[in-house]
Amino acid sequence: MSAPAQPGSPPAGLRKGATRHDHIVEDIRSFIVDGRWPPGFQLPVETDLAERYGVSRMTMNKALGQLAREGFLVRRKKSGTQVAQPRAESAVVAIADIRDEVRRSGRAHRFHLLARRARPGREEDALLLGDAPGSREVLWLQGLHLADDHPFCFETRLINPDAAEGAKEQDFADLAPGAWLLGAVPWSVASHRVRAVNATAAEAKLLELEVGEACLEIVRRTQAAGDWVTGVRLLYPGSEHQLVANFGPDAGGGPSRG
Amino acid sequence: MSAPAQPGSPPAGLRKGATRHDHIVEDIRSFIVDGRWPPGFQLPVETDLAERYGVSRMTMNKALGQLAREGFLVRRKKSGTQVAQPRAESAVVAIADIRDEVRRSGRAHRFHLLARRARPGREEDALLLGDAPGSREVLWLQGLHLADDHPFCFETRLINPDAAEGAKEQDFADLAPGAWLLGAVPWSVASHRVRAVNATAAEAKLLELEVGEACLEIVRRTQAAGDWVTGVRLLYPGSEHQLVANFGPDAGGGPSRG
DNA sequence: TAGTGGTCTAGACCACTCC
DNA sequence: GAGTGGTCTAGACCACTAG
């Protein structure tokens, strides 16, 4: 551990569009990522750093707080601020929206409804919803997402008509239920589960795969105002689809508070 | 859209441990998630809200800024703050650390080295690394992660000896290279890719699966100080493994700045 | 008990953007 | 031009905790 370089020398030309605390965050992060400030390195106290950077303590606090939230720093009262130990190899990946994903790849998205049924809830619905929906009526759908008219994703969905006003009147012939629900249900929270499964014969035929080919299965359960809204299973050909993430250390963050 | 309830009435008993802006965030978020403030709803201006909540404008700004980062609010100068339109069905999923994951399920984690080789880089290494490593020497490893002595994850890894000091001297006989690298390389950033693949004959044998069974494949590429450090392919039995997330609307956030 | 971060305030200036 | 959010400041008090 050689003597680390000193921060704070005002970089003469501030980059455009960056706030002061943004600049400080990037400056200190570069010290850490470059290894000049190794894990465990003790930073000067907030007031000192604020003086060196020529900002108020609150601005400095904002910058250090952000770096702590990102996982680069550990801050404790009395003992001060240290560079964090690199953590477990964890990360987060993003699950994109189907339409966006198709369109971003330069292809045209289309939804094709395969089946639509209004029926009483069953016990097996718990596979999609987590809990059994009871005996009240549910809306059950199956459909295929197409990219340039090629199979992209096979969708199986349950909708709670009580939570999604107008669902019973929607035929979803060409409108993806996910897109419709977006406008019909104000705000919701969802949980996700990602697995790998082998395509069944029926699924393989729909997705134009060989039977047994590996597929990525995403199950999303959506709730709003305390009631379930929808549960959906999305099946992607494993060869075609992948989840991607480009992230630093943090594997948390996000609005997990709700 | 009925007249929304009014915020700001101080909730008599402040919850313990919550800061003022935390309380405001949760209060407003509940208005949005409950549907009392529908998408597009125009919020009072910052100064008004600050007065109603009995806080300074900066505290109010902190709360509203957080809600905007989380995706619940959209803020524009002059036109003010509105409840955001629910966005595309996107989300984030967490990739956990292997040891943590095994231990959290109450089982014992063990790593068993299957192969270890120091050799010049090849073109095919680009599959793991993204770029070809050139002709410099790389360290190539294969091993099995066990949970209570049952196969849990099959790992194939390349290590850059120049970036990970001491790697050549490590035999990794029982030490998972990921864990070792954590302590050997100060800080790094990684990119991830998740796919579904069919197990090959060799993989199936190692993981005690049938040939062709669907597996979750995670490829992680790690860099530090501008050079690649390691590239790893983790193969999980699809039946056993799943990625899980419980998240709200936000699919971004995180330290994507780096 | 003293040092540190965590938070809050009142006021200020600026930048953007809609009218 | 005026209204709004974005940011910053100087100072203050508090909570936690290591010594």
Side-chain angles (χ1 to χ4, degrees), chain A:
Chain A
M1 298 189 188
S2 58
Q6 290 301 322
S9 24
L14 279 176
R15 280 178 305 86
K16 242 182 80 178
T19 64
R20 298 196 199 188
H21 77 264
D22 273 345
H23 170 257
I24 296 173
V25 164
E26 292 178 26
D27 194 45
I28 293 183
R29 185 162 38 207
S30 76
F31 272 77
I32 297 171
V33 174
D34 291 355
R36 283 173 289 178
W37 284 5
F41 175 72
Q42 182 84 35
L43 273 71
V45 296
E46 221 173 60
T47 46
D48 277 11
L49 282 170
E51 197 178 344
R52 296 192 201 182
Y53 276 105
V55 299
S56 72
R57 195 194 142 211
M58 227 202 158
T59 302
M60 199 65 222
N61 180 279
K62 197 171 179 179
L64 294 175
Q66 181 174 333
L67 286 164
R69 279 194 305 276
E70 291 179 8
F72 288 105
L73 295 179
V74 172
R75 315 196 73 192
R76 272 190 303 272
K77 302 177 186 195
K78 178 72 177 177
S79 50
T81 303
Q82 297 186 345
V83 174
Q85 297 294 329
R87 276 167 308 157
E89 312 179 290
S90 50
V92 293
V93 296
I95 297 179
D97 177 66
I98 298 180
R99 287 175 304 171
D100 287 353
E101 195 170 6
V102 171
R103 286 174 182 163
R104 221 169 289 157
S105 67
R107 293 174 290 179
H109 173 263
R110 201 160 64 81
F111 178 75
H112 176 58
L113 184 70
L114 299 170
R116 179 190 189 284
R117 221 162 289 157
R119 58 160 174 78
R122 299 175 190 161
E123 284 194 13
E124 70 193 61
D125 292 340
L127 290 174
L128 266 185
L129 304 177
D131 282 323
S135 58
R136 61 176 164 184
E137 191 165 73
V138 302
L139 195 57
W140 177 87
L141 304 167
Q142 281 194 328
L144 203 58
H145 294 263
L146 304 163
D148 276 353
D149 290 331
H150 285 82
F152 182 78
C153 172
F154 172 54
E155 168 171 341
T156 306
R157 184 183 291 265
L158 284 170
I159 297 175
N160 179 358
D162 297 337
E165 203 172 347
K168 285 181 177 176
E169 289 71 38
Q170 256 295 335
D171 66 5
F172 297 108
D174 293 308
L175 177 65
W180 178 82
L181 282 165
L182 220 55
V185 180
W187 267 101
S188 51
V189 291
S191 72
H192 295 77
R193 199 190 63 186
V194 177
R195 292 195 308 169
V197 298
N198 294 99
T200 65
E203 291 161 354
K205 188 171 179 186
L206 284 167
L207 291 171
E208 296 177 6
L209 306 172
E210 302 298 317
V211 176
E213 222 172 296
C215 293
L216 211 55
E217 179 198 73
I218 299 176
V219 172
R220 174 179 9 240
R221 297 164 180 161
T222 304
Q223 296 194 318
D227 203 1
W228 73 276
V229 175
T230 187
V232 60
R233 172 180 183 262
L234 304 170
L235 196 70
Y236 297 85
S239 56
E240 178 171 352
H241 198 73
Q242 59 185 35
L243 306 173
V244 176
N246 281 289
F247 269 29
D250 198 3
S256 49
R257 245 179 246 280

Side-chain angles (χ1 to χ4, degrees), chain B residues 121-194:
Chain B
R122 299 176 189 160
E123 284 194 12
E124 70 195 61
D125 292 339
L127 290 175
L128 266 185
L129 303 177
D131 281 324
S135 57
R136 61 176 164 185
E137 192 166 71
V138 301
L139 194 57
W140 177 89
L141 304 168
Q142 281 195 327
L144 203 57
H145 293 263
L146 303 163
D148 275 353
D149 290 331
H150 284 81
F152 182 78
C153 172
F154 173 54
E155 168 171 341
T156 306
R157 185 182 289 266
L158 283 171
I159 297 175
N160 179 358
D162 297 337
E165 204 172 347
K168 286 181 177 175
E169 289 72 38
Q170 255 295 336
D171 65 5
F172 298 109
D174 294 308
L175 177 66
W180 178 81
L181 282 164
L182 220 56
V185 180
W187 267 100
S188 52
V189 291
S191 71
H192 296 76
R193 200 189 62 187
V194 177

Side-chain angles (χ1 to χ4, degrees), chain B residues 76-153:
Chain B
R76 272 190 304 272
K77 300 177 188 197
K78 177 71 178 179
S79 45
T81 303
Q82 297 186 345
V83 175
Q85 297 295 327
R87 276 166 308 158
E89 314 179 287
S90 51
V92 292
V93 158
I95 298 179
D97 177 66
I98 297 180
R99 287 176 305 169
D100 288 353
E101 196 171 7
V102 171
R103 286 174 183 165
R104 220 169 289 158
S105 68
R107 293 175 289 178
H109 173 262
R110 200 160 64 82
F111 178 74
H112 176 57
L113 184 70
L114 298 170
R116 179 189 189 284
R117 220 162 290 159
R119 58 161 175 77
R122 299 176 189 160
E123 284 194 12
E124 70 195 61
D125 292 339
L127 290 175
L128 266 185
L129 303 177
D131 281 324
S135 57
R136 61 176 164 185
E137 192 166 71
V138 301
L139 194 57
W140 177 89
L141 304 168
Q142 281 195 327
L144 203 57
H145 293 263
L146 303 163
D148 275 353
D149 290 331
H150 284 81
F152 182 78
C153 172

